[in-house]
Amino acid sequence: MTTHGDLADGEHGEHGADGTDGWPDVPGDTALTIRIPEADPLVRAGFPAHVTVLYPFLHESRIDARLQGELSALFAGHDAFTLTFAEFGRYPGVLYLDPWPRDPVQALTKDLTQRWPEAPPYRGIFGAGLDPHLTIANSEGPATQEAAYDELESELAPSLPLVCPVRTVDLIVWDGFRWQGRAEYALG
């Protein structure tokens, strides 16, 4: 595990197209994410390219040395892997890249939620959670998203596929203004 600094504004604290908060983040919320720096030039959403493993995780006040050790051991039990981003997908208001294969990310999420069942993905808003994804844009409302995202897909498609090695998972913390990096855990 290593620590690192500021990661800039994050997906989970962004405002939606209607001007309301997309997620009810509170200072001290945490998330476990996979940074994908190869995709940063494609992202128009105002935060670094990443795939969420588990959001939210536990409140920062619960992250002590014992829990850090548990996270290190859990992630070390999973082999490093490679994600390929070759296709776009959409959720309402969101354009994303679809990672392949999804299984390694889903396995991480499953192990985390089995160990910490009090941390359901996306606060349980989407049932078992969303499929792994890398958000490219999330600023269009219903009236404009189809045309805007069609145009953005056409612009970005020549940059695909992206083949990205995944060696670590990051713990990030919402400080009330932005998501900041707190720790990095190596995969086995």
Side-chain angles (χ1 to χ4, degrees), residues 1-5 7 28-34 54 56-60 63-64 67-68 71 75 168-174 179-185:
M1 174 192 69
T2 59
T3 59
H4 49 84
L7 285 180
D29 276 353
T30 65
L32 293 158
T33 65
I34 298 167
L54 183 58
F57 184 49
L58 304 176
H59 191 271
E60 178 182 30
I63 311 284
D64 58 13
L67 195 135
Q68 295 261 12
L71 287 170
F75 290 121
T168 60
V169 175
D170 293 339
L171 173 70
I172 60 174
V173 179
W174 179 249
W179 288 95
Q180 297 202 32
R182 287 296 160 87
E184 182 179 86
Y185 303 95

PDB file of all heavy atoms in Angstrom, residues 1-5 7 28-34 54 56-60 63-64 67-68 71 75 168-174 179-185:
ATOM      1  N   MET A   1       0.854  -1.173   0.000  1.00  0.00           N
ATOM      2  CA  MET A   1       0.000   0.000   0.000  1.00  0.00           C
ATOM      3  C   MET A   1       0.892   1.225   0.000  1.00  0.00           C
ATOM      4  O   MET A   1       1.872   1.297   0.719  1.00  0.00           O
ATOM      5  CB  MET A   1      -0.885  -0.013   1.235  1.00  0.00           C
ATOM      6  CG  MET A   1      -1.701   1.246   1.387  1.00  0.00           C
ATOM      7  SD  MET A   1      -2.476   1.387   3.010  1.00  0.00           S
ATOM      8  CE  MET A   1      -1.065   1.643   4.045  1.00  0.00           C
ATOM      9  N   THR A   2       0.566   2.198  -0.831  1.00  0.00           N
ATOM     10  CA  THR A   2       1.230   3.492  -0.804  1.00  0.00           C
ATOM     11  C   THR A   2       0.154   4.558  -0.722  1.00  0.00           C
ATOM     12  O   THR A   2      -1.014   4.300  -0.993  1.00  0.00           O
ATOM     13  CB  THR A   2       2.087   3.713  -2.064  1.00  0.00           C
ATOM     14  OG1 THR A   2       1.252   3.623  -3.208  1.00  0.00           O
ATOM     15  CG2 THR A   2       3.198   2.692  -2.165  1.00  0.00           C
ATOM     16  N   THR A   3       0.554   5.749  -0.341  1.00  0.00           N
ATOM     17  CA  THR A   3      -0.406   6.850  -0.300  1.00  0.00           C
ATOM     18  C   THR A   3      -0.023   7.869  -1.350  1.00  0.00           C
ATOM     19  O   THR A   3       1.114   7.934  -1.798  1.00  0.00           O
ATOM     20  CB  THR A   3      -0.443   7.517   1.085  1.00  0.00           C
ATOM     21  OG1 THR A   3       0.857   8.004   1.382  1.00  0.00           O
ATOM     22  CG2 THR A   3      -0.890   6.545   2.151  1.00  0.00           C
ATOM     23  N   HIS A   4      -0.994   8.657  -1.758  1.00  0.00           N
ATOM     24  CA  HIS A   4      -0.743   9.703  -2.735  1.00  0.00           C
ATOM     25  C   HIS A   4      -1.717  10.834  -2.511  1.00  0.00           C
ATOM     26  O   HIS A   4      -2.628  10.746  -1.702  1.00  0.00           O
ATOM     27  CB  HIS A   4      -0.811   9.168  -4.169  1.00  0.00           C
ATOM     28  CG  HIS A   4      -2.035   8.359  -4.443  1.00  0.00           C
ATOM     29  ND1 HIS A   4      -3.229   8.918  -4.789  1.00  0.00           N
ATOM     30  CD2 HIS A   4      -2.247   7.025  -4.384  1.00  0.00           C
ATOM     31  CE1 HIS A   4      -4.133   7.959  -4.952  1.00  0.00           C
ATOM     32  NE2 HIS A   4      -3.562   6.813  -4.709  1.00  0.00           N
ATOM     33  N   GLY A   5      -1.543  11.933  -3.249  1.00  0.00           N
ATOM     34  CA  GLY A   5      -2.288  13.157  -2.969  1.00  0.00           C
ATOM     35  C   GLY A   5      -3.551  13.342  -3.772  1.00  0.00           C
ATOM     36  O   GLY A   5      -4.218  12.398  -4.143  1.00  0.00           O
ATOM     37  N   LEU A   7      -6.617  14.021  -6.192  1.00  0.00           N
ATOM     38  CA  LEU A   7      -7.031  13.431  -7.462  1.00  0.00           C
ATOM     39  C   LEU A   7      -7.983  14.307  -8.261  1.00  0.00           C
ATOM     40  O   LEU A   7      -8.455  13.875  -9.288  1.00  0.00           O
ATOM     41  CB  LEU A   7      -7.734  12.082  -7.222  1.00  0.00           C
ATOM     42  CG  LEU A   7      -6.862  10.913  -6.858  1.00  0.00           C
ATOM     43  CD1 LEU A   7      -7.716   9.676  -6.671  1.00  0.00           C
ATOM     44  CD2 LEU A   7      -5.799  10.665  -7.885  1.00  0.00           C
ATOM     45  N   GLY A  28     -15.787  12.549   4.228  1.00  0.00           N
ATOM     46  CA  GLY A  28     -15.382  11.290   4.839  1.00  0.00           C
ATOM     47  C   GLY A  28     -15.841  10.065   4.080  1.00  0.00           C
ATOM     48  O   GLY A  28     -15.393   8.953   4.377  1.00  0.00           O
ATOM     49  N   ASP A  29     -16.742  10.233   3.092  1.00  0.00           N
ATOM     50  CA  ASP A  29     -17.099   9.104   2.236  1.00  0.00           C
ATOM     51  C   ASP A  29     -15.842   8.617   1.520  1.00  0.00           C
ATOM     52  O   ASP A  29     -14.960   9.418   1.181  1.00  0.00           O
ATOM     53  CB  ASP A  29     -18.136   9.498   1.181  1.00  0.00           C
ATOM     54  CG  ASP A  29     -19.556   9.449   1.695  1.00  0.00           C
ATOM     55  OD1 ASP A  29     -19.788   8.987   2.820  1.00  0.00           O
ATOM     56  OD2 ASP A  29     -20.456   9.886   0.948  1.00  0.00           O
ATOM     57  N   THR A  30     -15.765   7.325   1.290  1.00  0.00           N
ATOM     58  CA  THR A  30     -14.629   6.766   0.566  1.00  0.00           C
ATOM     59  C   THR A  30     -15.126   5.934  -0.612  1.00  0.00           C
ATOM     60  O   THR A  30     -16.300   5.552  -0.679  1.00  0.00           O
ATOM     61  CB  THR A  30     -13.765   5.858   1.474  1.00  0.00           C
ATOM     62  OG1 THR A  30     -14.520   4.719   1.879  1.00  0.00           O
ATOM     63  CG2 THR A  30     -13.248   6.615   2.690  1.00  0.00           C
ATOM     64  N   ALA A  31     -14.218   5.658  -1.530  1.00  0.00           N
ATOM     65  CA  ALA A  31     -14.498   4.783  -2.670  1.00  0.00           C
ATOM     66  C   ALA A  31     -13.212   4.050  -3.020  1.00  0.00           C
ATOM     67  O   ALA A  31     -12.105   4.525  -2.730  1.00  0.00           O
ATOM     68  CB  ALA A  31     -14.995   5.588  -3.866  1.00  0.00           C
ATOM     69  N   LEU A  32     -13.367   2.908  -3.638  1.00  0.00           N
ATOM     70  CA  LEU A  32     -12.239   2.136  -4.151  1.00  0.00           C
ATOM     71  C   LEU A  32     -12.348   2.141  -5.670  1.00  0.00           C
ATOM     72  O   LEU A  32     -13.384   1.745  -6.219  1.00  0.00           O
ATOM     73  CB  LEU A  32     -12.267   0.717  -3.576  1.00  0.00           C
ATOM     74  CG  LEU A  32     -12.000   0.705  -2.061  1.00  0.00           C
ATOM     75  CD1 LEU A  32     -12.549  -0.558  -1.415  1.00  0.00           C
ATOM     76  CD2 LEU A  32     -10.510   0.857  -1.785  1.00  0.00           C
ATOM     77  N   THR A  33     -11.293   2.629  -6.322  1.00  0.00           N
ATOM     78  CA  THR A  33     -11.346   2.827  -7.766  1.00  0.00           C
ATOM     79  C   THR A  33     -10.071   2.321  -8.441  1.00  0.00           C
ATOM     80  O   THR A  33      -9.029   2.173  -7.797  1.00  0.00           O
ATOM     81  CB  THR A  33     -11.523   4.316  -8.120  1.00  0.00           C
ATOM     82  OG1 THR A  33     -10.371   5.048  -7.709  1.00  0.00           O
ATOM     83  CG2 THR A  33     -12.765   4.903  -7.465  1.00  0.00           C
ATOM     84  N   ILE A  34     -10.182   2.101  -9.735  1.00  0.00           N
ATOM     85  CA  ILE A  34      -9.038   1.748 -10.579  1.00  0.00           C
ATOM     86  C   ILE A  34      -8.789   2.936 -11.499  1.00  0.00           C
ATOM     87  O   ILE A  34      -9.643   3.269 -12.330  1.00  0.00           O
ATOM     88  CB  ILE A  34      -9.334   0.489 -11.410  1.00  0.00           C
ATOM     89  CG1 ILE A  34      -9.591  -0.716 -10.501  1.00  0.00           C
ATOM     90  CG2 ILE A  34      -8.190   0.215 -12.387  1.00  0.00           C
ATOM     91  CD1 ILE A  34     -10.187  -1.913 -11.225  1.00  0.00           C
ATOM     92  N   LEU A  54     -15.847  -0.036  -5.779  1.00  0.00           N
ATOM     93  CA  LEU A  54     -16.905   0.033  -4.776  1.00  0.00           C
ATOM     94  C   LEU A  54     -17.062   1.473  -4.302  1.00  0.00           C
ATOM     95  O   LEU A  54     -16.114   2.067  -3.789  1.00  0.00           O
ATOM     96  CB  LEU A  54     -16.610  -0.870  -3.575  1.00  0.00           C
ATOM     97  CG  LEU A  54     -17.697  -0.914  -2.489  1.00  0.00           C
ATOM     98  CD1 LEU A  54     -19.040  -1.384  -3.058  1.00  0.00           C
ATOM     99  CD2 LEU A  54     -17.261  -1.804  -1.339  1.00  0.00           C
ATOM    100  N   PRO A  56     -20.213   3.812  -2.243  1.00  0.00           N
ATOM    101  CA  PRO A  56     -19.162   4.213  -1.317  1.00  0.00           C
ATOM    102  C   PRO A  56     -18.638   2.989  -0.582  1.00  0.00           C
ATOM    103  O   PRO A  56     -19.313   1.966  -0.492  1.00  0.00           O
ATOM    104  CB  PRO A  56     -19.895   5.144  -0.358  1.00  0.00           C
ATOM    105  CG  PRO A  56     -21.311   4.648  -0.346  1.00  0.00           C
ATOM    106  CD  PRO A  56     -21.554   4.109  -1.727  1.00  0.00           C
ATOM    107  N   PHE A  57     -17.432   3.147  -0.030  1.00  0.00           N
ATOM    108  CA  PHE A  57     -16.894   2.104   0.837  1.00  0.00           C
ATOM    109  C   PHE A  57     -17.260   2.514   2.264  1.00  0.00           C
ATOM    110  O   PHE A  57     -18.385   2.941   2.502  1.00  0.00           O
ATOM    111  CB  PHE A  57     -15.382   1.949   0.601  1.00  0.00           C
ATOM    112  CG  PHE A  57     -14.740   0.843   1.377  1.00  0.00           C
ATOM    113  CD1 PHE A  57     -15.276  -0.441   1.399  1.00  0.00           C
ATOM    114  CD2 PHE A  57     -13.589   1.076   2.097  1.00  0.00           C
ATOM    115  CE1 PHE A  57     -14.684  -1.458   2.129  1.00  0.00           C
ATOM    116  CE2 PHE A  57     -12.984   0.066   2.826  1.00  0.00           C
ATOM    117  CZ  PHE A  57     -13.527  -1.196   2.852  1.00  0.00           C
ATOM    118  N   LEU A  58     -16.388   2.379   3.203  1.00  0.00           N
ATOM    119  CA  LEU A  58     -16.670   2.723   4.590  1.00  0.00           C
ATOM    120  C   LEU A  58     -16.278   4.176   4.853  1.00  0.00           C
ATOM    121  O   LEU A  58     -15.412   4.717   4.175  1.00  0.00           O
ATOM    122  CB  LEU A  58     -15.886   1.807   5.526  1.00  0.00           C
ATOM    123  CG  LEU A  58     -16.111   0.305   5.334  1.00  0.00           C
ATOM    124  CD1 LEU A  58     -15.204  -0.485   6.261  1.00  0.00           C
ATOM    125  CD2 LEU A  58     -17.561  -0.064   5.538  1.00  0.00           C
ATOM    126  N   HIS A  59     -16.886   4.794   5.852  1.00  0.00           N
ATOM    127  CA  HIS A  59     -16.524   6.163   6.205  1.00  0.00           C
ATOM    128  C   HIS A  59     -15.048   6.198   6.601  1.00  0.00           C
ATOM    129  O   HIS A  59     -14.524   5.249   7.205  1.00  0.00           O
ATOM    130  CB  HIS A  59     -17.404   6.681   7.350  1.00  0.00           C
ATOM    131  CG  HIS A  59     -17.251   8.133   7.557  1.00  0.00           C
ATOM    132  ND1 HIS A  59     -16.291   8.663   8.392  1.00  0.00           N
ATOM    133  CD2 HIS A  59     -17.906   9.186   7.007  1.00  0.00           C
ATOM    134  CE1 HIS A  59     -16.369   9.976   8.367  1.00  0.00           C
ATOM    135  NE2 HIS A  59     -17.344  10.323   7.535  1.00  0.00           N
ATOM    136  N   GLU A  60     -14.412   7.287   6.255  1.00  0.00           N
ATOM    137  CA  GLU A  60     -12.982   7.464   6.524  1.00  0.00           C
ATOM    138  C   GLU A  60     -12.634   7.200   7.996  1.00  0.00           C
ATOM    139  O   GLU A  60     -11.558   6.674   8.297  1.00  0.00           O
ATOM    140  CB  GLU A  60     -12.585   8.886   6.135  1.00  0.00           C
ATOM    141  CG  GLU A  60     -11.152   9.227   6.403  1.00  0.00           C
ATOM    142  CD  GLU A  60     -10.828  10.658   6.052  1.00  0.00           C
ATOM    143  OE1 GLU A  60     -11.721  11.526   6.153  1.00  0.00           O
ATOM    144  OE2 GLU A  60      -9.672  10.900   5.690  1.00  0.00           O
ATOM    145  N   ILE A  63     -11.363   3.725   8.712  1.00  0.00           N
ATOM    146  CA  ILE A  63     -10.181   3.216   8.009  1.00  0.00           C
ATOM    147  C   ILE A  63      -8.966   3.357   8.932  1.00  0.00           C
ATOM    148  O   ILE A  63      -8.315   4.387   8.979  1.00  0.00           O
ATOM    149  CB  ILE A  63      -9.933   3.974   6.679  1.00  0.00           C
ATOM    150  CG1 ILE A  63     -11.205   4.074   5.851  1.00  0.00           C
ATOM    151  CG2 ILE A  63      -8.776   3.345   5.909  1.00  0.00           C
ATOM    152  CD1 ILE A  63     -11.642   2.847   5.135  1.00  0.00           C
ATOM    153  N   ASP A  64      -8.689   2.289   9.670  1.00  0.00           N
ATOM    154  CA  ASP A  64      -7.542   2.287  10.575  1.00  0.00           C
ATOM    155  C   ASP A  64      -6.491   1.308  10.040  1.00  0.00           C
ATOM    156  O   ASP A  64      -6.651   0.723   8.959  1.00  0.00           O
ATOM    157  CB  ASP A  64      -7.976   1.942  12.001  1.00  0.00           C
ATOM    158  CG  ASP A  64      -8.668   0.578  12.113  1.00  0.00           C
ATOM    159  OD1 ASP A  64      -8.618  -0.229  11.147  1.00  0.00           O
ATOM    160  OD2 ASP A  64      -9.264   0.317  13.163  1.00  0.00           O
ATOM    161  N   LEU A  67      -7.815  -2.239   9.267  1.00  0.00           N
ATOM    162  CA  LEU A  67      -8.611  -2.302   8.050  1.00  0.00           C
ATOM    163  C   LEU A  67      -7.727  -2.120   6.813  1.00  0.00           C
ATOM    164  O   LEU A  67      -7.923  -2.802   5.803  1.00  0.00           O
ATOM    165  CB  LEU A  67      -9.722  -1.247   8.082  1.00  0.00           C
ATOM    166  CG  LEU A  67     -10.799  -1.488   7.027  1.00  0.00           C
ATOM    167  CD1 LEU A  67     -12.171  -1.306   7.627  1.00  0.00           C
ATOM    168  CD2 LEU A  67     -10.598  -0.566   5.853  1.00  0.00           C
ATOM    169  N   GLN A  68      -6.736  -1.250   6.907  1.00  0.00           N
ATOM    170  CA  GLN A  68      -5.793  -1.085   5.785  1.00  0.00           C
ATOM    171  C   GLN A  68      -5.112  -2.419   5.478  1.00  0.00           C
ATOM    172  O   GLN A  68      -4.934  -2.785   4.324  1.00  0.00           O
ATOM    173  CB  GLN A  68      -4.743  -0.018   6.125  1.00  0.00           C
ATOM    174  CG  GLN A  68      -5.313   1.361   6.292  1.00  0.00           C
ATOM    175  CD  GLN A  68      -5.153   2.213   5.057  1.00  0.00           C
ATOM    176  OE1 GLN A  68      -4.814   1.741   3.983  1.00  0.00           O
ATOM    177  NE2 GLN A  68      -5.408   3.490   5.217  1.00  0.00           N
ATOM    178  N   LEU A  71      -7.525  -4.691   3.670  1.00  0.00           N
ATOM    179  CA  LEU A  71      -7.641  -4.311   2.254  1.00  0.00           C
ATOM    180  C   LEU A  71      -6.410  -4.764   1.474  1.00  0.00           C
ATOM    181  O   LEU A  71      -6.535  -5.301   0.365  1.00  0.00           O
ATOM    182  CB  LEU A  71      -7.837  -2.802   2.116  1.00  0.00           C
ATOM    183  CG  LEU A  71      -9.207  -2.276   2.505  1.00  0.00           C
ATOM    184  CD1 LEU A  71      -9.196  -0.744   2.554  1.00  0.00           C
ATOM    185  CD2 LEU A  71     -10.273  -2.762   1.535  1.00  0.00           C
ATOM    186  N   PHE A  75      -6.759  -7.366  -1.702  1.00  0.00           N
ATOM    187  CA  PHE A  75      -6.347  -7.039  -3.067  1.00  0.00           C
ATOM    188  C   PHE A  75      -5.161  -7.898  -3.512  1.00  0.00           C
ATOM    189  O   PHE A  75      -5.082  -8.289  -4.679  1.00  0.00           O
ATOM    190  CB  PHE A  75      -6.050  -5.552  -3.203  1.00  0.00           C
ATOM    191  CG  PHE A  75      -7.291  -4.708  -3.126  1.00  0.00           C
ATOM    192  CD1 PHE A  75      -7.426  -3.735  -2.154  1.00  0.00           C
ATOM    193  CD2 PHE A  75      -8.342  -4.903  -4.001  1.00  0.00           C
ATOM    194  CE1 PHE A  75      -8.582  -2.964  -2.071  1.00  0.00           C
ATOM    195  CE2 PHE A  75      -9.506  -4.141  -3.934  1.00  0.00           C
ATOM    196  CZ  PHE A  75      -9.611  -3.182  -2.959  1.00  0.00           C
ATOM    197  N   THR A 168      -3.153  -1.881  -9.511  1.00  0.00           N
ATOM    198  CA  THR A 168      -3.477  -1.340  -8.189  1.00  0.00           C
ATOM    199  C   THR A 168      -4.939  -0.919  -8.122  1.00  0.00           C
ATOM    200  O   THR A 168      -5.596  -0.718  -9.146  1.00  0.00           O
ATOM    201  CB  THR A 168      -2.608  -0.109  -7.859  1.00  0.00           C
ATOM    202  OG1 THR A 168      -2.852   0.909  -8.836  1.00  0.00           O
ATOM    203  CG2 THR A 168      -1.132  -0.447  -7.809  1.00  0.00           C
ATOM    204  N   VAL A 169      -5.425  -0.775  -6.894  1.00  0.00           N
ATOM    205  CA  VAL A 169      -6.734  -0.204  -6.608  1.00  0.00           C
ATOM    206  C   VAL A 169      -6.498   0.943  -5.629  1.00  0.00           C
ATOM    207  O   VAL A 169      -5.714   0.810  -4.679  1.00  0.00           O
ATOM    208  CB  VAL A 169      -7.688  -1.253  -5.991  1.00  0.00           C
ATOM    209  CG1 VAL A 169      -9.016  -0.614  -5.583  1.00  0.00           C
ATOM    210  CG2 VAL A 169      -7.927  -2.398  -6.983  1.00  0.00           C
ATOM    211  N   ASP A 170      -7.153   2.079  -5.867  1.00  0.00           N
ATOM    212  CA  ASP A 170      -6.980   3.269  -5.042  1.00  0.00           C
ATOM    213  C   ASP A 170      -8.129   3.449  -4.065  1.00  0.00           C
ATOM    214  O   ASP A 170      -9.300   3.251  -4.431  1.00  0.00           O
ATOM    215  CB  ASP A 170      -6.923   4.534  -5.913  1.00  0.00           C
ATOM    216  CG  ASP A 170      -5.687   4.591  -6.787  1.00  0.00           C
ATOM    217  OD1 ASP A 170      -4.702   3.914  -6.486  1.00  0.00           O
ATOM    218  OD2 ASP A 170      -5.714   5.328  -7.794  1.00  0.00           O
ATOM    219  N   LEU A 171      -7.805   3.868  -2.852  1.00  0.00           N
ATOM    220  CA  LEU A 171      -8.790   4.329  -1.883  1.00  0.00           C
ATOM    221  C   LEU A 171      -8.809   5.845  -1.977  1.00  0.00           C
ATOM    222  O   LEU A 171      -7.763   6.500  -1.832  1.00  0.00           O
ATOM    223  CB  LEU A 171      -8.400   3.900  -0.460  1.00  0.00           C
ATOM    224  CG  LEU A 171      -9.272   4.470   0.660  1.00  0.00           C
ATOM    225  CD1 LEU A 171     -10.673   3.852   0.627  1.00  0.00           C
ATOM    226  CD2 LEU A 171      -8.608   4.237   2.015  1.00  0.00           C
ATOM    227  N   ILE A 172      -9.988   6.425  -2.258  1.00  0.00           N
ATOM    228  CA  ILE A 172     -10.128   7.874  -2.336  1.00  0.00           C
ATOM    229  C   ILE A 172     -11.152   8.330  -1.304  1.00  0.00           C
ATOM    230  O   ILE A 172     -12.020   7.553  -0.895  1.00  0.00           O
ATOM    231  CB  ILE A 172     -10.504   8.339  -3.758  1.00  0.00           C
ATOM    232  CG1 ILE A 172     -11.833   7.734  -4.226  1.00  0.00           C
ATOM    233  CG2 ILE A 172      -9.373   8.001  -4.746  1.00  0.00           C
ATOM    234  CD1 ILE A 172     -12.321   8.267  -5.571  1.00  0.00           C
ATOM    235  N   VAL A 173     -11.028   9.593  -0.873  1.00  0.00           N
ATOM    236  CA  VAL A 173     -11.881  10.140   0.186  1.00  0.00           C
ATOM    237  C   VAL A 173     -12.455  11.470  -0.278  1.00  0.00           C
ATOM    238  O   VAL A 173     -11.734  12.321  -0.820  1.00  0.00           O
ATOM    239  CB  VAL A 173     -11.075  10.344   1.494  1.00  0.00           C
ATOM    240  CG1 VAL A 173     -11.955  10.940   2.580  1.00  0.00           C
ATOM    241  CG2 VAL A 173     -10.465   9.042   1.962  1.00  0.00           C
ATOM    242  N   TRP A 174     -13.755  11.669  -0.046  1.00  0.00           N
ATOM    243  CA  TRP A 174     -14.436  12.925  -0.351  1.00  0.00           C
ATOM    244  C   TRP A 174     -14.229  13.869   0.833  1.00  0.00           C
ATOM    245  O   TRP A 174     -14.580  13.542   1.976  1.00  0.00           O
ATOM    246  CB  TRP A 174     -15.913  12.668  -0.596  1.00  0.00           C
ATOM    247  CG  TRP A 174     -16.715  13.897  -0.884  1.00  0.00           C
ATOM    248  CD1 TRP A 174     -17.664  14.463  -0.086  1.00  0.00           C
ATOM    249  CD2 TRP A 174     -16.665  14.704  -2.059  1.00  0.00           C
ATOM    250  NE1 TRP A 174     -18.201  15.561  -0.683  1.00  0.00           N
ATOM    251  CE2 TRP A 174     -17.603  15.747  -1.898  1.00  0.00           C
ATOM    252  CE3 TRP A 174     -15.908  14.665  -3.222  1.00  0.00           C
ATOM    253  CZ2 TRP A 174     -17.805  16.727  -2.872  1.00  0.00           C
ATOM    254  CZ3 TRP A 174     -16.120  15.637  -4.187  1.00  0.00           C
ATOM    255  CH2 TRP A 174     -17.057  16.648  -4.010  1.00  0.00           C
ATOM    256  N   TRP A 179     -12.576  14.649  -4.418  1.00  0.00           N
ATOM    257  CA  TRP A 179     -12.075  13.340  -4.036  1.00  0.00           C
ATOM    258  C   TRP A 179     -10.555  13.419  -3.990  1.00  0.00           C
ATOM    259  O   TRP A 179      -9.935  13.942  -4.918  1.00  0.00           O
ATOM    260  CB  TRP A 179     -12.509  12.279  -5.040  1.00  0.00           C
ATOM    261  CG  TRP A 179     -13.963  11.962  -4.943  1.00  0.00           C
ATOM    262  CD1 TRP A 179     -14.968  12.501  -5.700  1.00  0.00           C
ATOM    263  CD2 TRP A 179     -14.587  11.061  -4.027  1.00  0.00           C
ATOM    264  NE1 TRP A 179     -16.176  11.977  -5.310  1.00  0.00           N
ATOM    265  CE2 TRP A 179     -15.976  11.090  -4.283  1.00  0.00           C
ATOM    266  CE3 TRP A 179     -14.115  10.237  -3.023  1.00  0.00           C
ATOM    267  CZ2 TRP A 179     -16.877  10.314  -3.576  1.00  0.00           C
ATOM    268  CZ3 TRP A 179     -15.008   9.464  -2.315  1.00  0.00           C
ATOM    269  CH2 TRP A 179     -16.378   9.504  -2.590  1.00  0.00           C
ATOM    270  N   GLN A 180      -9.973  12.891  -2.922  1.00  0.00           N
ATOM    271  CA  GLN A 180      -8.522  12.900  -2.775  1.00  0.00           C
ATOM    272  C   GLN A 180      -8.020  11.487  -2.528  1.00  0.00           C
ATOM    273  O   GLN A 180      -8.654  10.712  -1.806  1.00  0.00           O
ATOM    274  CB  GLN A 180      -8.120  13.804  -1.613  1.00  0.00           C
ATOM    275  CG  GLN A 180      -8.516  15.243  -1.887  1.00  0.00           C
ATOM    276  CD  GLN A 180      -7.701  16.212  -1.082  1.00  0.00           C
ATOM    277  OE1 GLN A 180      -6.542  15.966  -0.797  1.00  0.00           O
ATOM    278  NE2 GLN A 180      -8.306  17.336  -0.737  1.00  0.00           N
ATOM    279  N   GLY A 181      -6.877  11.180  -3.128  1.00  0.00           N
ATOM    280  CA  GLY A 181      -6.276   9.868  -2.953  1.00  0.00           C
ATOM    281  C   GLY A 181      -5.726   9.698  -1.550  1.00  0.00           C
ATOM    282  O   GLY A 181      -5.120  10.618  -1.006  1.00  0.00           O
ATOM    283  N   ARG A 182      -5.966   8.528  -0.969  1.00  0.00           N
ATOM    284  CA  ARG A 182      -5.456   8.237   0.377  1.00  0.00           C
ATOM    285  C   ARG A 182      -4.523   7.041   0.392  1.00  0.00           C
ATOM    286  O   ARG A 182      -3.591   7.010   1.155  1.00  0.00           O
ATOM    287  CB  ARG A 182      -6.603   7.995   1.349  1.00  0.00           C
ATOM    288  CG  ARG A 182      -7.327   9.229   1.719  1.00  0.00           C
ATOM    289  CD  ARG A 182      -6.383  10.199   2.477  1.00  0.00           C
ATOM    290  NE  ARG A 182      -6.870  11.547   2.461  1.00  0.00           N
ATOM    291  CZ  ARG A 182      -7.717  12.054   3.327  1.00  0.00           C
ATOM    292  NH1 ARG A 182      -8.171  11.315   4.304  1.00  0.00           N
ATOM    293  NH2 ARG A 182      -8.116  13.296   3.205  1.00  0.00           N
ATOM    294  N   ALA A 183      -4.815   6.024  -0.399  1.00  0.00           N
ATOM    295  CA  ALA A 183      -3.973   4.829  -0.375  1.00  0.00           C
ATOM    296  C   ALA A 183      -4.092   4.098  -1.700  1.00  0.00           C
ATOM    297  O   ALA A 183      -5.067   4.255  -2.425  1.00  0.00           O
ATOM    298  CB  ALA A 183      -4.399   3.905   0.773  1.00  0.00           C
ATOM    299  N   GLU A 184      -3.067   3.329  -1.996  1.00  0.00           N
ATOM    300  CA  GLU A 184      -3.017   2.509  -3.212  1.00  0.00           C
ATOM    301  C   GLU A 184      -2.661   1.095  -2.788  1.00  0.00           C
ATOM    302  O   GLU A 184      -1.696   0.906  -2.040  1.00  0.00           O
ATOM    303  CB  GLU A 184      -1.970   3.090  -4.151  1.00  0.00           C
ATOM    304  CG  GLU A 184      -1.835   2.386  -5.462  1.00  0.00           C
ATOM    305  CD  GLU A 184      -0.793   3.058  -6.330  1.00  0.00           C
ATOM    306  OE1 GLU A 184       0.405   2.718  -6.170  1.00  0.00           O
ATOM    307  OE2 GLU A 184      -1.174   3.924  -7.125  1.00  0.00           O
ATOM    308  N   TYR A 185      -3.420   0.116  -3.255  1.00  0.00           N
ATOM    309  CA  TYR A 185      -3.227  -1.284  -2.886  1.00  0.00           C
ATOM    310  C   TYR A 185      -2.820  -2.079  -4.108  1.00  0.00           C
ATOM    311  O   TYR A 185      -3.476  -2.010  -5.144  1.00  0.00           O
ATOM    312  CB  TYR A 185      -4.522  -1.860  -2.307  1.00  0.00           C
ATOM    313  CG  TYR A 185      -5.015  -1.090  -1.113  1.00  0.00           C
ATOM    314  CD1 TYR A 185      -5.966  -0.087  -1.273  1.00  0.00           C
ATOM    315  CD2 TYR A 185      -4.524  -1.341   0.164  1.00  0.00           C
ATOM    316  CE1 TYR A 185      -6.413   0.647  -0.177  1.00  0.00           C
ATOM    317  CE2 TYR A 185      -4.952  -0.610   1.256  1.00  0.00           C
ATOM    318  CZ  TYR A 185      -5.908   0.380   1.076  1.00  0.00           C
ATOM    319  OH  TYR A 185      -6.338   1.101   2.153  1.00  0.00           O
TER     320      TYR A 185
END
